[in-house]
Amino acid sequence: MKLVFATNNTHKLEEVRAMLLDTIEIVSLKEIGCYEEIPETANTMEGNALLKVQYIQKHYEYACFADDSGLEVEALNHAPGVYSARYSGIPHDSEANINKLLQEMEGKTNRKGRFRSVIALLLDGKEYLFEGIVKGTITTEKRGKNGFDYDPLFIPEGYEQTFAELGDEVKNKISHRARAVKQLTAFLSANNI
């Protein structure tokens, strides 16, 4: 089966391609000729993921899934959350986002946070949602060279290293996106897709 993954983020595309079943061919936005920035104007991750799949269905008529993910920090009232990618402003700047988060966390003793990912699937005119969460703590400085976005600041529960130190092989098994993709994969398998 061929499914469009509605993302322009090459890191996400590589991660998800590595996680999904071999029976599913993941097609990028570029491969279907979509070069537009799909609006993410909802105030929830669920809303943004749905906006993306609805856009692709309306303009390109492909079966599609999309995710919206974010880091939710307890001490910051769950910010940056849905605004994780543009926490420091537009355009998206990972380094500026990291620096802003570190600055906001200065002096905070509660370092609890969680990564959350919501995947929306639009298939045969029906919408489905899948959610993955991984809890952890926020470091006081960047650690590690792998990963992207907030990975150098996040230590998942049960580990002593950040996502950026653990590397893709471990991260792709335990991350929020991996957990949401497992649900998506289980759904597709159960429905013989």
Side-chain angles (χ1 to χ4, degrees):
M1 156 144 219
K2 192 179 283 193
L3 269 178
V4 173
F5 182 21
T7 184
N8 286 312
N9 185 321
T10 55
H11 296 289
K12 282 185 184 183
L13 187 63
E14 289 168 15
E15 269 187 15
V16 170
R17 277 184 171 152
M19 288 183 234
L20 273 176
L21 303 168
D22 291 338
T23 56
I24 299 166
E25 181 187 350
I26 303 300
V27 180
S28 71
L29 290 178
K30 286 180 184 173
E31 290 171 309
I32 64 166
C34 178
Y35 298 97
E36 301 87 34
E37 276 297 318
I38 300 172
E40 294 183 44
T41 54
N43 59 3
T44 65
M45 291 179 207
E46 292 84 354
N48 280 337
L50 286 167
L51 282 174
K52 290 185 252 187
V53 294
Q54 291 162 354
Y55 183 93
I56 295 303
Q57 177 61 46
K58 180 179 176 183
H59 296 280
Y60 296 90
E61 299 180 2
Y62 283 101
C64 177
F65 71 97
D67 90 310
D68 197 35
S69 302
L71 178 64
E72 299 174 331
V73 180
E74 209 171 88
L76 302 178
N77 296 317
H78 305 290
V82 71
Y83 304 106
S84 292
R86 49 196 184 280
Y87 192 42
S88 63
I90 298 173
H92 171 228
D93 182 336
S94 291
E95 198 63 31
N97 289 340
I98 286 172
N99 292 335
K100 180 175 180 178
L101 184 66
L102 286 173
Q103 184 179 8
E104 297 280 328
M105 289 297 290
E106 278 181 20
K108 304 254 192 276
T109 54
N110 179 358
R111 311 292 297 185
K112 292 180 186 175
R114 68 181 194 169
F115 267 120
R116 189 164 76 94
S117 180
V118 176
I119 291 177
L121 171 68
L122 183 54
L123 191 64
D124 299 326
K126 293 183 182 172
E127 296 173 347
Y128 306 91
L129 292 173
F130 309 93
E131 180 184 57
I133 293 172
V134 63
K135 295 179 180 178
T137 56
I138 309 303
T139 62
T140 56
E141 62 185 9
K142 287 178 17 179
R143 291 176 23 197
K145 302 284 183 203
N146 296 315
F148 59 100
D149 291 335
Y150 299 98
D151 287 355
L153 301 182
F154 185 80
I155 301 171
E157 277 184 354
Y159 293 83
E160 294 180 6
Q161 297 169 296
T162 66
F163 271 161
E165 292 172 309
L166 288 170
D168 291 344
E169 191 174 329
V170 174
K171 181 188 171 190
N172 288 349
K173 290 179 183 171
I174 65 168
S175 76
H176 50 302
R177 192 168 297 107
R179 292 173 185 194
V181 168
K182 281 179 190 170
Q183 291 177 34
L184 170 66
T185 302
F187 172 83
L188 295 172
S189 295
N191 289 282
N192 297 315
I193 297 167

